[in-house]
Amino acid sequence: MFSGGIVTVFVSDLDKAVRFYTEALGLKLGFRFGNEWASIKAGDSLVIGLHPASRDSPAGRKGSITLGLQLTEPIDKAVSVLKERGVKFRGSIVEDEGIQFAYFEDPDGNELYLADLNQAYKNYAAGATAT
């Protein structure tokens, strides 16, 4: 029935947001429709839709969205690369039940995080079944 999904992030400046998600984070621009919409591809199964903010849907509202990005490489390496690209992290890498996280924000203050799943968790998740 479903072929995928899109997380829509409301932004104050579409050009700035596209640069952040593509240049700083290294994600791929899928397509852009003028100043009304941009689709950012984050791996095979996540699309981030960037949409201009409005009075009803303001940009950067704390707690309204937290976007997690799973890693294919060690988190310390990813954090180092992203810091070189100008991404500012909040605090250091933290661990919770074997999963490492690093928290940061986009230019509008929307909260994002990197998630490094340890091998044991990856093996468990690969064998997990949906209920």
Side-chain angles (χ1 to χ4, degrees), residues 2-3 14 17 19 32 43 45 47 50 52 63 71 73 77 98 102 114-115 119 128:
F2 301 107
S3 64
L14 194 59
R19 281 193 306 275
R32 182 168 176 172
S45 60
V47 174
L50 302 177
L71 297 170
E73 61 187 32
K77 181 178 177 185
L114 304 178
Q119 194 57 47

